[in-house]
Amino acid sequence: MKTMHYEIENDIRYLQLLSQTFPTIADASTEIINLQAILNLPKGTEHFLADLHGEYKSFQHVLKNASGNIKRKVNEIFGNELRESEKKELCTLIYYPEEKLELVKASEPELEDWYHVTIHQLVRVCRDVSSKYTRSKVRKSLPKDFSYIIQELLHERSDDVDKAAYVNVIIDTIITTGRADDFIIAISHVIQRLAIDLLHILGDVYDRGPGAHNIMDVLSSYHNWDIQWGNHDILWMGACAGNDACICNVIRLSLRYANLVTLEEGYGINLVPLATFAMEHYADDPCEEFMPKTNGGSADIDEKTKHLTALMHKAITVIQFKVEAAIIQRHPEWNMQDRLLLEKIDYNNATCEIDGKSYDMKSCCFPTINPASPYQLTPEEQTLMKRLHHSFTVNEKLHKHIRLMLSHGSLYTIINDNLLFHASIPLNDDGSLKEVELYNGQKYKGRELMNHTEQVIRNAFQNDSDPLEKEFAVDYFLYLWCGRDSVLFDKSKMATFERYFLTDKSTYKEEKGNYFKLRADEKECDAILDAFGVNGPNRHIINGHVPVHVANGENPIKANGKLMVIDGGFSQAYHAETGIAGYTLVYHSRGFQLVQHEPFTSTEDAILRGSDIKSTTQIVEMSAHRMLVADTDIGRDLKKQIVELQKLLYAYRHGFIKELR
């Protein structure tokens, strides 16, 4: 009693504020009952995706089918009631209701009967996927037009003799009033939404594929998601912030994969000035080493377009090396002077000296480079860069998407005893956390390094930042992209120059940092989890970034289950390398399941023939008991709220605070 009195007296001001929300004993008691009930619901389903790389259609389909979860639900609910073809049709309707309805109406002779049967089936599926949520949460996910009707159908059963007529009349009326199509579309979207409670994206929405902007549009209205920024996301963030080296890299990568859709159609970046410049200065250069990679999902392009793309590709690459040099020279503390290779070229003998050794070059045609001052931009290059800089830094849609990245994102996330980050934690050779210098000689490691690096990134977009700190922040995007100790790179070098220009493939090697060498060691993973304060008996590190070579027998589950690498090659550019088309990690109330996907054919094929992404599910870790909300971070927060509400009840009952009504 004395202890509770003491706590109430110390917390009285907070409890008085809390009483504004719960002004009576009845209000506080009702909320405690509600929170206690929520704690005993099954844990919501989390989905983890990584390295989407602009593959919008595959991403969209994975969201629609909830990584096969909706198909599994349909199979469980209907079992032998429906033929396999009928279950496939129902799943396709849930994924693509608008398109599938048009096909059905064109071919179904008994449309009214089809409506009646189908709506009953959809209600059963919706009832199942909503069963682990409170009525309040389900209600908030419902479309306004059909909220009341769906609630009634979800909580009344047609097999209840007393309510069968009631349910049937509701469905009959939906059909006779001409709202069947709208209702089917609405309830299908509700099923999609409830099948995924929380979406985690472990970086790299951008580059390679054609639909990064479409993915960001989907995320802008998605109900619950977060992102751990990847190196390719950082590149686009740097371009948006005005880092010219990032701008050049973004354009170079788009040209390398013959994929200009996101740049030109998504964000309206005008590349005509670059094309004009390239044709003027590189017209006589075959640019063979700059021919685009057209097997990465982009449509085949004609020879004329391919040659122009190669000219533009080389032009922006040369400019990139020049503007990168200016940033590297401003920051000797980054120790990136070994990347200043234009000055190492013997332009007469077509060789380049690296680490004291001379290497033959594939070509040595550099019409815009002055050997006496190789990093100086020509007047035409300066004009071109000013135009490109302006296009990126004032682009309204790009800024909107980057703000979305900033508001929903971070370098790492700790949630439900899982540590999520895209790439790496810099380590010393002995596995200890490595100190990395950021700004003004300040060094950090581990969690502090991640926190302070994230602050540097955010400084680049803050108008009230110190001008010098903001200038450093904008420059730092280049280091994050390709710096040796960057948490998003962590390799000895980025061998861009070597791959384009040198014949000796031994120069292409990029030695991975110690994290990638040591992360399969369970003790190392435990040490990192300890350093980040991740507790719990079933804690994990979840990464993307490095594609898992499944075709070569590589296992995405490492360190005795402590580490999960879920980059399985979502991008078509990686399919041949990895042998699959990506992973989805699913964490539901029963445990972890890793879903391995085969390539997605097309949306059209999915609608017309009911084709789905073929997936293989691997059980990673199953819980001894079904996990409840009480076992999650949200549950821990709810328990704290209950304690505070119990204090409020005590304060009411013992006269510390008066009920307000």
Side-chain angles (χ1 to χ4, degrees):
M1 180 72 74
K2 289 183 179 179
T3 302
M4 180 61 79
H5 270 65
Y6 179 75
E7 289 183 10
I8 298 299
E9 288 171 352
N10 277 330
D11 296 341
I12 193 68
R13 294 186 66 183
Y14 166 73
L15 293 174
Q16 285 172 338
L17 287 173
L18 190 61
S19 71
Q20 302 295 316
T21 306
F22 305 100
T24 69
I25 289 175
D27 291 327
S29 299
T30 299
E31 184 65 7
I32 290 172
I33 294 167
N34 177 48
L35 296 181
Q36 288 283 16
I38 291 172
L39 289 174
N40 288 279
L41 287 170
K43 173 193 175 298
T45 301
E46 298 174 69
H47 275 57
F48 302 77
L49 294 174
D51 300 86
L52 304 175
H53 286 302
E55 296 295 342
Y56 164 65
K57 290 185 178 180
S58 295
F59 168 74
Q60 182 187 45
H61 191 75
V62 166
L63 290 192
K64 287 178 176 294
N65 78 356
S67 299
N69 194 39
I70 290 175
K71 184 177 181 179
R72 181 176 62 82
K73 294 280 189 186
V74 167
N75 284 328
E76 289 176 356
I77 294 165
F78 297 102
N80 295 325
E81 287 182 43
L82 301 178
R83 297 191 300 269
E84 288 302 315
S85 60
E86 291 172 326
K87 287 186 279 190
K88 182 188 288 187
E89 289 290 306
L90 180 58
C91 286
T92 303
L93 178 66
I94 294 170
Y95 306 158
Y96 302 101
E98 295 93 337
E99 298 87 344
K100 190 63 179 177
L101 277 167
E102 293 304 313
L103 293 176
V104 170
K105 288 191 290 186
S107 61
E108 177 57 56
E110 300 291 339
L111 188 59
E112 186 169 322
D113 183 56
W114 181 88
Y115 278 140
H116 209 282
V117 171
T118 301
I119 291 173
H120 272 288
Q121 291 171 345
L122 290 172
V123 169
R124 287 176 68 182
V125 177
C126 192
R127 185 180 295 130
D128 188 277
V129 298
S130 66
S131 62
K132 64 168 62 176
Y133 304 116
T134 64
R135 288 195 180 193
S136 173
K137 184 166 184 174
V138 172
R139 185 170 60 250
K140 290 174 183 176
S141 71
L142 301 178
K144 184 178 179 181
D145 287 355
F146 294 106
S147 178
Y148 173 75
I149 294 171
I150 294 176
Q151 286 180 71
E152 289 296 293
L153 291 173
L154 289 182
H155 300 114
E156 303 294 350
R157 305 183 68 91
S158 58
D159 56 2
D160 181 340
V161 176
D162 295 330
K163 292 293 182 74
Y166 174 72
V167 171
N168 286 329
V169 166
I170 291 177
I171 294 175
D172 286 340
T173 308
I174 290 171
I175 296 167
T176 57
T177 55
R179 299 302 308 279
D181 284 7
D182 293 333
F183 181 83
I184 288 171
I185 291 167
I187 197 168
S188 295
H189 289 157
V190 171
I191 292 168
Q192 291 177 27
R193 174 169 179 167
L194 294 177
I196 300 176
D197 188 40
L198 174 58
L199 175 67
H200 305 289
I201 298 175
L202 277 81
D204 281 359
V205 168
Y206 283 94
D207 287 332
R208 290 191 172 88
H213 57 292
N214 297 127
I215 293 174
M216 293 305 299
D217 283 338
V218 169
L219 292 174
S220 68
S221 58
Y222 199 73
H223 59 277
N224 194 8
W225 66 282
D226 57 53
I227 182 169
Q228 294 70 52
W229 305 318
N231 51 319
H232 288 270
D233 304 321
I234 284 293
L235 195 62
W236 281 76
M237 292 165 78
C240 181
N243 183 306
D244 286 345
C246 291
I247 291 171
C248 290
N249 270 287
V250 162
I251 297 171
R252 177 180 64 81
L253 286 169
S254 298
L255 292 164
R256 179 176 175 82
Y257 291 94
N259 173 30
L260 301 176
V261 175
T262 296
L263 271 178
E264 294 186 319
E265 296 179 21
Y267 295 118
I269 302 294
N270 182 10
L271 295 181
V272 171
L274 174 60
T276 304
F277 173 85
M279 287 188 291
E280 180 180 346
H281 293 279
Y282 292 90
D284 298 329
D285 187 343
C287 293
E288 292 179 1
E289 63 272 31
F290 289 90
M291 286 295 169
K293 296 178 180 291
T294 55
N295 61 346
S298 299
D300 290 335
I301 56 178
D302 60 62
E303 288 302 314
K304 184 177 180 181
T305 304
K306 188 181 291 186
H307 182 61
L308 175 58
T309 302
L311 300 183
M312 296 167 68
H313 187 182
K314 183 167 185 178
I316 199 66
T317 301
V318 171
I319 296 173
Q320 174 192 313
F321 292 142
K322 291 183 178 184
V323 297
E324 283 181 349
I327 298 174
I328 291 169
Q329 288 167 341
R330 281 202 295 272
H331 297 282
E333 72 276 11
W334 293 353
N335 296 316
M336 293 180 66
Q337 290 79 3
D338 62 323
R339 296 292 84 205
L340 304 178
L341 294 175
L342 296 185
E343 64 191 45
K344 303 292 185 180
I345 299 174
D346 183 331
Y347 292 88
N348 294 321
N349 296 314
T351 60
C352 182
E353 183 182 306
I354 298 178
D355 296 329
K357 185 177 178 180
S358 185
Y359 295 93
D360 291 333
M361 298 186 67
K362 296 175 184 177
S363 68
C364 198
C365 179
F366 295 105
T368 66
I369 291 180
N370 175 7
S373 183
Y375 303 118
Q376 183 177 355
L377 292 170
T378 66
E380 294 91 342
E381 287 173 328
Q382 289 179 17
T383 300
L384 175 61
M385 277 311 305
K386 284 181 181 177
R387 296 184 70 169
L388 292 172
H389 181 98
H390 180 77
S391 294
F392 276 86
T393 54
V394 302
N395 191 290
E396 184 177 346
K397 186 170 183 179
L398 178 59
H399 276 264
K400 175 187 174 183
H401 285 171
I402 297 306
R403 286 195 301 271
L404 196 65
M405 280 262 183
L406 290 165
S407 63
H408 283 261
S410 56
L411 278 175
Y412 74 97
T413 297
I414 299 171
I415 183 167
N416 296 330
D417 301 333
N418 297 308
L419 173 60
L420 284 52
F421 56 90
H422 177 70
S424 173
I425 304 294
L427 301 175
N428 294 309
D429 292 343
D430 64 358
S432 59
L433 297 172
K434 185 175 185 178
E435 283 195 330
V436 177
E437 182 177 332
L438 280 181
Y439 182 63
N440 282 344
Q442 297 171 316
K443 293 184 177 181
Y444 306 97
K445 60 184 178 181
R447 190 172 188 174
E448 278 195 333
L449 174 62
M450 288 289 222
N451 290 337
H452 283 87
T453 301
E454 182 175 324
Q455 191 55 57
V456 169
I457 293 167
R458 294 186 184 279
N459 283 344
F461 298 96
Q462 300 299 324
N463 293 327
D464 59 351
S465 296
D466 176 272
L468 292 177
E469 289 187 12
K470 186 169 184 175
E471 182 181 338
F472 174 86
V474 173
D475 282 354
Y476 198 68
F477 283 106
L478 176 62
Y479 188 85
L480 285 168
W481 168 243
C482 60
R484 184 177 287 110
D485 291 324
S486 163
V487 297
L488 292 171
F489 183 64
D490 197 10
K491 294 182 183 178
S492 59
K493 66 180 180 182
M494 185 175 283
T496 307
F497 178 92
E498 291 89 335
R499 292 177 187 275
Y500 282 128
F501 293 116
L502 302 187
T503 59
D504 190 335
K505 292 185 178 180
S506 68
T507 63
Y508 304 174
K509 185 176 181 181
E510 301 169 348
E511 185 177 352
K512 293 178 181 177
N514 287 317
Y515 175 76
F516 301 108
K517 297 175 183 176
L518 301 172
R519 65 181 182 173
D521 185 335
E522 184 178 357
K523 290 182 179 178
E524 188 61 51
C525 288
D526 277 329
I528 292 171
L529 289 163
D530 287 341
F532 277 77
V534 184
N535 301 310
N538 298 309
R539 56 186 186 167
H540 310 87
I541 296 172
I542 306 176
N543 287 164
H545 188 57
V546 180
V548 178
H549 295 81
V550 177
N552 296 334
E554 184 180 358
N555 192 336
I557 311 303
K558 305 177 187 298
N560 197 25
K562 288 288 174 69
L563 175 71
M564 307 180 198
V565 183
I566 61 170
D567 180 5
F570 218 98
S571 169
Q572 290 193 34
Y574 286 133
H575 290 182
E577 182 180 344
T578 63
I580 63 170
Y583 289 117
T584 309
L585 184 66
V586 181
Y587 184 27
H588 49 63
S589 59
R590 303 291 186 186
F592 280 99
Q593 290 181 306
L594 189 69
V595 183
Q596 176 179 306
H597 303 295
E598 293 182 15
F600 179 54
T601 52
S602 69
T603 302
E604 294 75 18
D605 195 45
I607 295 165
L608 291 171
R609 283 173 284 280
S611 64
D612 205 341
I613 293 180
K614 294 181 180 178
S615 305
T616 304
T617 301
Q618 173 184 349
I619 295 174
V620 178
E621 182 179 288
M622 297 306 284
S623 175
H625 71 282
R626 191 174 192 189
M627 283 176 284
L628 306 177
V629 172
D631 301 313
T632 67
D633 290 347
I634 290 174
R636 287 186 271 273
D637 289 340
L638 294 181
K639 289 174 186 176
K640 292 176 182 176
Q641 291 178 37
I642 290 170
V643 169
E644 299 305 319
L645 286 165
Q646 288 171 336
K647 289 181 183 178
L648 180 61
L649 279 181
Y650 186 93
Y652 279 143
R653 287 168 174 159
H654 290 80
F656 289 95
I657 299 174
K658 303 297 182 185
E659 292 184 80
L660 299 183
R661 65 172 189 269

